[in-house]
Amino acid sequence: MDTCRIPANASKCSGNTMECFMVLSTQAQKISIGILCGLFGTMCVFENSLVLYLIFSSPGTRKKPSYLFIGSLALADILASIIFVCSFVNFHVFNEAGFSKEVFLLQLGGVSTSFSASLSSLLLTALDRYISISRPSEYKLLMTRKRAWTALAVLWVTCATIACLPLLGWNCCVLDSACSELFPFVDDNYLSGWICFVMVLLGCIVYAYAHVLWRARQHVAYMEKHQAQAGKQNTRMRMDVMLAKTLVMVLAVLMLCWSPVLVLMIYSIFARLSAHLRKVFAFCSTLCLLNSMVNPIIYALRSKELFSSLRRVFSHCRRQLKAPEESPEAESTHKSSVIET
């Protein structure tokens, strides 16, 4: 087992640095974490898989850059849920610490990549709406499928590179520096840099949404003033306003779910965390799964195209279930069974 400098408040640990971060002390806490992770993780994988199917099974949605970004968000949430739940439950609930530093940092990098890609995909979605509303006449020229795929490639490569830095050597064992009190082997300076990266993403998202809301409010005022004029322009404006409201809901959920985690991360850099706060951080971490679970629900309820696709899928499944019952073979089989009886 690799050893390095343990947190000051973990001095009571028995020398195994991994055990110092297993903060759940009672069986009730472990069961609670296990239930939360199992419920949120399962729902998140199911819902986001459904969103991906709805997007890429319909030619009308899979060709639009905005839905490519939403698909990237759904994919990132699926990966984050699977990797986070497996590694988090294995570590905190089953107290498995028999893996090496490299394996742990690889798992942490997977979680960091997925959640960062989720947040970055949300930023691309916000920028897509920003361009659509601020420069509607040039939108199709500026936001092409090729540029959308290029932006997604840059997004995932950037997130993966940043997340793999501890595995490549930026960790407190290699540098012999102060380790984070929240994550084994993670250097405090790296954690500070990752937090800054996330805060920049959030700042850009807030700015883009603020502009989208301002333009959406102008559109609403315009529609009220020219209510007699019915046409494609007003229809497009209503769609923009609807999407703006959807994105604001997503951002509100994002901030509510991520704020406790980020606040505790920032606090751990400047002050010593108590055992109670470290337990609080473990439970707050499950809110990131809640965010990934809520996002597809918002899309299904607020996106007219995805909701229509979902209704078509349910209708098709209903017809498939009724078909065997109404088929001549099923009827003859039923009659035969009655005669035999």
Side-chain angles (χ1 to χ4, degrees):
M1 174 65 64
D2 296 282
T3 58
C4 51
R5 189 180 307 174
I6 63 176
N9 66 341
S11 57
K12 296 181 180 180
C13 295
S14 58
N16 189 335
T17 59
M18 299 294 286
E19 292 180 355
C20 300
F21 295 87
M22 298 175 180
V23 296
L24 303 182
S25 55
T26 65
Q27 195 67 22
Q29 293 173 352
K30 295 180 180 180
I31 293 175
S32 299
I33 285 288
I35 293 175
L36 290 175
C37 289
L39 177 62
F40 293 163
T42 302
M43 291 299 296
C44 179
V45 171
F46 171 76
E47 293 170 359
N48 284 286
S49 298
L50 181 60
V51 169
L52 283 177
Y53 173 77
L54 293 177
I55 290 174
F56 290 100
S57 64
S58 173
T61 55
R62 67 168 176 257
K63 292 180 180 180
K64 295 182 179 180
S66 57
Y67 285 104
L68 290 179
F69 299 147
I70 293 176
S72 173
L73 176 61
L75 176 62
D77 285 337
I78 291 174
L79 294 176
S81 300
I82 295 175
I83 301 173
F84 177 84
V85 169
C86 292
S87 58
F88 195 80
V89 171
N90 190 43
F91 185 79
H92 284 289
V93 177
F94 297 107
N95 298 135
E96 179 61 45
F99 38 79
S100 65
K101 175 190 71 176
E102 288 75 19
V103 172
F104 179 84
L105 291 178
L106 181 63
Q107 293 177 352
L108 186 63
V111 174
S112 178
T113 298
S114 303
F115 280 127
S116 299
S118 176
L119 189 58
S120 300
S121 298
L122 191 57
L123 173 59
L124 290 182
T125 307
L127 294 177
D128 175 73
R129 287 297 90 206
Y130 176 90
I131 297 173
S132 174
I133 289 182
S134 62
R135 305 175 71 175
S137 60
E138 305 174 24
Y139 173 76
K140 290 186 178 181
L141 295 176
L142 294 175
M143 190 58 67
T144 61
R145 289 190 68 199
K146 182 178 180 180
R147 290 181 177 178
W149 281 111
T150 302
L152 289 174
V154 172
L155 177 159
W156 281 90
V157 170
T158 301
C159 292
T161 301
I162 294 175
C164 289
L165 288 178
L167 184 62
L168 296 176
W170 191 355
N171 59 73
C172 55
C173 295
V174 174
L175 300 178
D176 194 24
S177 56
C179 293
S180 168
E181 295 187 18
L182 296 175
F183 305 101
F185 313 120
V186 174
D187 180 74
D188 263 340
N189 292 326
Y190 170 80
L191 183 60
S192 301
W194 188 85
I195 293 174
C196 291
F197 172 66
V198 171
M199 297 300 289
V200 169
L201 290 178
L202 288 174
C204 293
I205 292 174
V206 170
Y207 174 80
Y209 282 151
H211 186 84
V212 167
L213 284 178
W214 176 65
R215 293 302 296 265
R217 188 173 180 180
Q218 285 186 328
H219 286 177
V220 172
Y222 178 86
M223 285 187 289
E224 291 176 351
K225 186 177 180 181
H226 302 82
Q227 225 168 12
Q229 299 178 359
K232 293 184 178 180
Q233 187 177 10
N234 277 351
T235 301
R236 185 190 61 78
M237 289 180 183
R238 291 189 185 96
M239 292 178 62
D240 285 343
V241 172
M242 195 71 172
L243 274 172
K245 292 180 179 178
T246 300
L247 296 179
V248 170
M249 291 176 61
V250 174
L251 179 61
V253 172
L254 180 77
M255 296 300 293
L256 289 174
C257 293
W258 277 85
S259 293
V261 172
L262 290 176
V263 168
L264 287 174
M265 283 184 182
I266 295 172
Y267 182 77
S268 70
I269 295 174
F270 298 101
R272 182 176 300 177
L273 291 178
S274 63
H276 175 71
L277 284 179
R278 296 172 74 195
K279 291 179 182 179
V280 170
F281 178 80
F283 278 92
C284 288
S285 299
T286 61
L287 291 177
C288 300
L289 280 179
L290 178 62
N291 172 66
S292 299
M293 185 187 74
V294 171
N295 282 342
I297 297 177
I298 296 176
Y299 301 145
L301 293 177
R302 305 292 296 183
S303 173
K304 187 176 180 180
E305 289 177 282
L306 289 185
F307 187 71
S308 299
S309 298
L310 183 61
R311 291 182 62 182
R312 286 196 297 269
V313 170
F314 283 153
S315 299
H316 178 72
C317 293
R318 194 181 298 113
R319 287 194 299 269
Q320 291 294 324
L321 291 175
K322 289 183 178 180
E325 299 176 0
E326 299 175 354
S327 64
E329 292 81 0
E331 185 176 354
S332 62
T333 303
H334 175 70
K335 288 182 178 178
S336 300
S337 62
V338 172
I339 292 173
E340 290 175 3
T341 302

